[in-house]
Amino acid sequence: MDYVIGCDVGSQGTKVVLLSSTGVLAGEAYAGYDIDYPQPLWAEQPVARWIDAIATAVRQVLRETGVSADRVRGLGLGTQVDGVVPIDASGQALRSGIIWMDRRAGEQCAAVRATMSDAQVFELTGLNLDPTHVAPKIRWLADQQPELYERTARFLLPGSYLAHHLTGEAAVDYSNASSTLLLDVRTKDWSPEMCRVFGIDLDRLAPVGSATAPLGRLRPVAAEALGLRPDTVVVIGCGDEHAACLGAGVVMPGLVGDIAGTAEPVCAASPTPAFDPTRLIETHCHGDPDLWLLENPGFVSGGNLRWFRDHFAAGAAQPGKSAYQVLDAEAAGVPAGSEGLVFLPCLMGAMAPTWNEHARGTYAGFTLAHGRGHFARALLEGSAFAVRDITDQMRAVGLDLQEMRVVGGGARSPLWNQIKADVTGLPVAVPEITETTALGAALLASVGIGTHASLAEASEHVVRIRERYEPNPAAQAAYGGAYAYYRDAYFTLLPLFERAAGRA
């Protein structure tokens, strides 16, 4: 029996799955790592962390399953988007990768805005002119580190950097490229106009292609590090939320993918590019080259929960229960709406209810009667309110939403899943395999080596639903007022956010 490997290279770690040609998940492994925050709103990772984590996790899954390397025919990558890694002519990274949550390039966005309106940028790229995207980060490097910029042969995204490291070949797929602010989302090719506006040399960008296209075979040194054969095929790969949608079966109208990881992208597939006039939802290319993905690329969500655990529940774990499970149990004892306590999930700026790099995380409405369980539940509810901001706007642009599929680490929380169903009014389905980014990456590899003819066929062959959560009418009623309070708090605090940003 043949196998493929899927790698989810995320913000806090890399998850690897081993998938058989019959669609059975044979094994999985995980290797974690840290994010560096050199300054407020900056976020970086040395590329060695990603490289080492892939090697560690691949070797572990092979060791634990007993599958020999000669039975692994392909490898796919689903990687964090919106990051940039400059490499020299020899392929060496010139600095740590600037990752998706980094917002240092606000001035670079403002400079572009002086010559090209937000509406014009959105019409061409489907994206908001925002420092989370790649082009402003490249421009920041040109402005602040000009010697490094001149030494750069190519600016690669995390996924294209890793694929290049593994194969020696450079390419980027449509989905990753569509998050750069440099792609014409209709033609699916680099935009000379956007490159000109940002002052970026087009020839320093990698060629664009399909995520399922074979990029090359493993370089001998990479094969040795991973414990695989050099003839293992590596496909170009796609973005992590795009791979997660593939692994969740979000390849047809009516389904919403909610990827509850460090960030929480919310996505829906479309056969044609559609555009949200409010620009809360961007228009990206899907991991499936025949589709587009209407999505909010993701506010920090699971990252907020991890922050809360680390600082306020570090010793909460109990025998047989993780700290997260203890917090869930405490939160479950609090009524819907957290008795007036509301949380704004803006610890690294906001992506909902509006895009706002100056927004700050906020707890509002707490009293001496509120305990840790209230704060934990309010955090879960705040993320669910942000999801509702997005799904409500998807409906407003004409999408007929029928079901939300929640995946990622957050899908392991039954309480959080129920809260999302109650807040959005959508039934929530959780697939049997919740780490769908790694699964989606494996599906890319299975199509790339010819096991399946298309991603839709591969997804139908593998994806199964494990459990469902229906909206609770009583909780829905309670959340109506709580959601309004959340939005009022956000918009009331906008002037204070501006003042806070000025003091950072």
Side-chain angles (χ1 to χ4, degrees), residues 291-356:
L291 297 172
W292 279 261
L293 201 67
L294 304 185
E295 66 167 302
N296 182 286
F299 54 95
V300 178
S301 177
N304 297 336
L305 186 58
R306 180 175 179 174
W307 166 84
F308 186 84
R309 179 205 65 180
D310 290 347
H311 291 281
F312 303 105
Q318 300 172 2
K321 282 188 177 182
S322 70
Y324 289 125
Q325 290 171 317
V326 171
L327 289 174
D328 259 19
E330 293 178 3
V334 174
S338 300
E339 296 186 308
L341 178 61
V342 69
F343 172 73
L344 305 183
C346 309
L347 273 68
M348 291 295 285
M351 303 292 273
T354 67
W355 289 53
N356 183 354

Side-chain angles (χ1 to χ4, degrees), residues 5-8 15-17 76 78 240 243-244 435-443:
I5 286 175
C7 302
D8 166 13
K15 182 70 173 281
V16 164
V17 299
D240 50 5
E435 299 296 344
T436 56
T437 301
L439 177 61
L443 297 183

Side-chain angles (χ1 to χ4, degrees), residues 14 16 29-32 49-63 225-226:
T14 290
V16 164
Y30 177 81
R49 291 181 190 166
W50 306 332
I51 294 168
D52 292 346
I54 291 176
T56 297
V58 169
R59 283 186 170 275
Q60 180 183 339
V61 78
L62 293 177
R63 182 175 64 252
L226 272 61

Side-chain angles (χ1 to χ4, degrees), residues 245-246 248-253 255 269 286 288 291 455-456 459-460:
C245 286
L246 295 172
V250 182
V251 291
M252 63 189 74
L255 298 180
H286 200 291
D288 185 326
L291 297 172
L455 287 166
S459 180
E460 183 178 1

